[in-house]
Amino acid sequence: MMADEEEEAKHVLQKLQGLVDRLYCFRDSYFETHSVEDAGRKQQDVQEEMEKTLQQMEEVLGSAQVEAQALMLKGKALNVTPDYSPEAEVLLSKAVKLEPELVEAWNQLGEVYWKKGDVASAHTCFSGALTHCKNKVSLQNLSMVLRQLQTDSGDEHSRHVMDSVRQAKLAVQMDVLDGRSWYILGNAYLSLYFNTGQNPKISQQALSAYAQAEKVDRKASSNPDLHLNRATLHKYEESYGEALEGFSQAAALDPVWPEPQQREQQLLEFLSRLTSLLESKGKTKPKKLQSMLGSLRPAHLGPCGDGRYQSASGQKMTLELKPLSTLQPGVNSGTVVLGKVVFSLTTEEKVPFTFGLVDSDGPCYAVMVYNVVQSWGVLIGDSVAIPEPNLRHHQIRHKGKDYSFSSVRVETPLLLVVNGKPQNSSSQALCHSSFKAAV
């Protein structure tokens, strides 16, 4: 290529790069120039901007010789929408064949495969890009893809989740001011949280990563996926007010995406049904309730009443039986409560398994049990003992409605004694939740 031709090609590529950068800036900074009320138009506006950009790119290219970089940029422009583009796949595949070390083309092709649902090919692209050059985009995307890879066993999936956290941490280390890296690290921790029995320390790491994403990048606050995923975590942490706010914000930022609205509605319906059942004590008639409570016996405490209870520290101890009404917020160490089940409430997600417990004429308390297999449950009239109960008072206000109740959180059914009998290990399962990990 002659010097003049090289200079011309360089000038063309710079123009193309500028057009594509402007297109992505329009998409990523949409809410800096538009109000949230315009959210429903965003996808259409981005589509129109993409078509305009592609037309301008054709004009810039003219009869200039097409090379790998130009193919990559056109493929990237087509890849700006959430939808799979067959044309982008063709262009980007050509680009990596012409120039195998063009890392951005590998990253873009990986995103195309991800949108196509071909997770294995996406994984190959991002891994391949990293063999040519360590870069934060490949690390970010590899973190997401690892969690979605098909596996033959739970152990293999767990290893992928741990590796996903490692890749996200590496991306953050490469650029601590990149909000997307922090967001993806939050998602990796969220996946780890649900994969390891909901460790509160991991949930805090996820929340911290999401907060950092918003701190270093104001565009992160306009990411509906961040709000949905964080709301999912808040829901399992029983921070229902924050969960509802997050689902609502995600719905406002992406009105055509049905999931946030559905999740918000499901949680509102759950809270409404729960508070109604708690208030009516499961609609149990007073005479029947007195009969149920009169049948409670010390034998129903099982190992919680005879000194065989083993605390988290491994120490055997005798627990003091106390009324539900005397519990303090937080973990009530050295205490056991015993009551009768007056209702149970299941949701579409099946977790937590929720039931109402009464031990006197006092109020009914919600008991929320996590990490349960779908077949596990308790029946109305069962006697249930809860050692060292973890109490929480809820005061929730959302869109003009108030919900107020008290609940006891139980991390595993193995902690419960039902009708005097401890629960066996087959009642426990790891909890899994759905959350969106968008490219």
Side-chain angles (χ1 to χ4, degrees), residues 236 238 240 270 274 341 343-347 349-356 366-380 382 384 408-410 413 416 418 427 431:
Y236 278 85
E238 296 179 10
Y240 295 119
F270 169 76
L274 177 62
V341 176
F343 70 83
S344 65
L345 181 60
T346 55
T347 62
E349 292 175 322
K350 307 295 183 190
V351 177
F353 183 91
T354 305
F355 62 91
V367 180
M368 300 185 181
V369 190
Y370 293 80
N371 294 302
V372 296
V373 293
Q374 286 202 13
S375 58
W376 185 88
V378 292
L379 302 173
I380 292 173
D382 280 349
V384 177
V408 174
R409 183 185 180 101
V410 181
L416 299 177
V418 182
S427 64
C431 165

Side-chain angles (χ1 to χ4, degrees), residues 28 92 171 229 259 273 306 320 336 342 366 368:
D28 297 338
L92 293 163
N229 294 346
E259 189 177 350
R273 288 169 63 202
D306 58 13
E320 183 184 354
V336 62
V342 291
M368 300 185 181

Side-chain angles (χ1 to χ4, degrees), residues 4 72 107 113 118 161 167 206 210 247 338 350 381:
D4 287 351
M72 183 277 293
N107 283 333
Y113 282 131
D118 188 348
V161 171
Q167 302 301 330
Y210 289 140
F247 290 139
L338 175 66
K350 307 295 183 190

Side-chain angles (χ1 to χ4, degrees), residues 100 103 198 238 259 293 307 311 347 384 439:
V103 167
Q198 296 100 61
E238 296 179 10
E259 189 177 350
L293 292 171
S311 68
T347 62
V384 177
V439 168

Side-chain angles (χ1 to χ4, degrees), residues 227-258:
H227 290 285
L228 180 88
N229 294 346
R230 181 164 54 192
T232 301
L233 185 55
H234 279 313
K235 176 174 173 269
Y236 278 85
E237 293 282 275
E238 296 179 10
S239 299
Y240 295 119
E242 289 93 333
L244 289 165
E245 190 57 41
F247 290 139
S248 180
Q249 185 66 7
L253 289 166
D254 192 350
V256 297
W257 183 23

Side-chain angles (χ1 to χ4, degrees), residues 90-224:
V90 170
L91 291 168
L92 293 163
S93 297
K94 281 183 185 174
V96 296
K97 280 175 186 168
L98 283 169
E99 197 175 324
E101 293 187 3
L102 190 54
V103 167
E104 192 171 5
W106 283 112
N107 283 333
Q108 287 295 323
L109 184 58
E111 290 194 19
V112 169
Y113 282 131
W114 172 274
K115 292 171 185 177
K116 190 181 182 180
D118 188 348
V119 179
S121 294
H123 180 264
T124 301
C125 288
F126 300 137
S127 300
L130 287 167
T131 63
H132 293 297
C133 172
K134 185 181 177 183
N135 67 96
K136 66 181 181 182
V137 176
S138 297
L139 290 166
Q140 291 167 351
N141 291 343
L142 189 59
S143 172
M144 291 187 298
V145 167
L146 279 163
R147 299 193 298 273
Q148 304 300 325
L149 281 175
Q150 290 292 320
T151 57
D152 295 326
S153 69
D155 286 346
E156 189 180 0
H157 178 68
S158 295
R159 285 195 296 273
H160 283 169
V161 171
M162 289 300 295
D163 197 15
S164 166
V165 173
R166 279 192 292 273
Q167 302 301 330
K169 282 182 175 178
L170 288 171
V172 166
Q173 287 167 14
M174 288 195 75
D175 183 359
V176 294
L177 297 178
D178 188 309
R180 186 168 183 262
S181 292
W182 283 107
Y183 160 65
I184 288 165
L185 179 60
N187 286 350
Y189 277 132
L190 180 61
S191 190
L192 185 64
Y193 172 78
F194 285 117
N195 202 60
T196 53
Q198 296 100 61
N199 182 330
K201 183 183 173 187
I202 296 170
S203 72
Q204 284 309 307
Q205 288 173 310
L207 290 172
S208 295
Y210 289 140
Q212 196 65 18
E214 292 182 305
K215 183 179 176 183
V216 301
D217 181 3
R218 63 179 183 271
K219 295 192 293 290
S221 295
S222 302
N223 180 354

